Amino acid sequence: MRSIVGLWRWRKNPLRRGTDLMEAWVALVAALLLALAAPATGWVSGSRINSSLQHTVRLQREERHRTTVTVTGLPKEHHHNAFDAESAVDHDGGGRVLAAWTAPDGTRRTGTLTAPGHRTAAGSTFTIWTDPQGKPVKSPMDGGWARLNAVTAGATTALMAAVLVELLRRLVVWRLVRRRYHVLDRAWAKAGPDWGRTGAGS
């Protein structure tokens, strides 16, 4: 609104300079970009990211399977198992155990896992997620978490677009001010030597 008022004020003002009108137009264009383009950029970015993440969520839910694990014992000190899925299981604060579970294809799998809480006694059970081959993996991405990340990314994109618009506006205004001072300096250099002299038109 301020930009529109500024344009109207400079429309036929005899004191208007070319840079004044240009600065008002720059302010108006920047205001429109901030009000329309920046939010639109954020919305498009967030929508695309959300679409991509939701696709990943669907794929993970199709490919990952929840299964029950049975603790078979505790690993011996310095015991090395050919398969260690500790980093792939979503359990914190538990102990490492030897465990057995059934893969989606029906075959039996064994390995070293991290049991939740204190379920480390032989015969204890807990659940994990596996891929189609029965290898433990992280649980599928949550759809709500994916949307939250998409919204955050969209808001960040909109903010960055707004900052870019404002920086460009400030750069243009700075150039206009420099140009204004340059014209003023030339006018003063021309009129300065005769300033105040009788008959000099001052």
Side-chain angles (χ1 to χ4, degrees):
M1 181 61 68
R2 184 178 178 183
S3 301
I4 296 175
V5 172
L7 281 173
W8 182 261
R9 185 176 67 241
W10 287 119
R11 192 168 60 96
K12 293 183 179 180
N13 194 318
L15 299 178
R16 185 197 73 190
R17 296 165 294 189
T19 54
D20 294 325
L21 187 60
M22 188 177 298
E23 183 176 342
W25 275 111
V26 168
L28 177 60
V29 171
L32 292 176
L33 290 176
L34 289 174
L36 301 176
T41 301
W43 183 83
V44 170
S45 174
S47 296
R48 290 183 176 179
I49 293 174
N50 182 61
S51 178
S52 176
L53 289 178
Q54 294 301 332
H55 178 67
T56 300
V57 169
R58 288 191 295 271
L59 286 180
Q60 290 185 354
R61 286 179 177 175
E62 292 174 0
E63 296 175 352
R64 300 184 183 187
H65 308 273
R66 196 177 183 91
T67 187
T68 300
V69 170
T70 301
V71 177
T72 59
L74 298 177
K76 296 179 180 180
E77 187 177 4
H78 305 302
H79 174 77
H80 295 283
N81 196 293
F83 175 72
D84 186 349
E86 179 179 10
S87 61
V89 184
D90 298 323
H91 299 309
D92 297 319
R96 296 181 65 192
V97 297
L98 297 176
W101 62 93
T102 302
D105 61 4
T107 59
R108 185 175 175 81
R109 296 284 187 270
T110 59
T112 303
L113 305 176
T114 299
H118 300 286
R119 299 182 185 180
T120 57
S124 298
T125 61
F126 57 92
T127 58
I128 63 171
W129 289 87
T130 68
D131 63 12
Q133 289 72 43
K135 179 180 178 181
V137 293
K138 290 284 186 180
S139 60
M141 184 187 302
D142 179 69
W145 181 88
R147 282 189 295 274
L148 178 61
N149 278 269
V151 169
T152 302
T156 301
T157 302
L159 179 61
M160 292 177 63
V163 170
L164 179 60
V165 169
E166 177 61 16
L167 289 176
L168 290 175
R169 186 194 70 81
R170 289 175 179 267
L171 177 61
V172 172
V173 170
W174 177 76
R175 294 292 299 270
L176 291 174
V177 171
R178 290 286 301 271
R179 180 179 174 184
R180 199 174 292 159
Y181 285 155
H182 179 68
V183 172
L184 183 61
D185 287 341
R186 285 195 305 175
W188 178 253
K190 183 178 179 180
D194 295 328
W195 187 263
R197 292 184 181 179
T198 304
S202 58

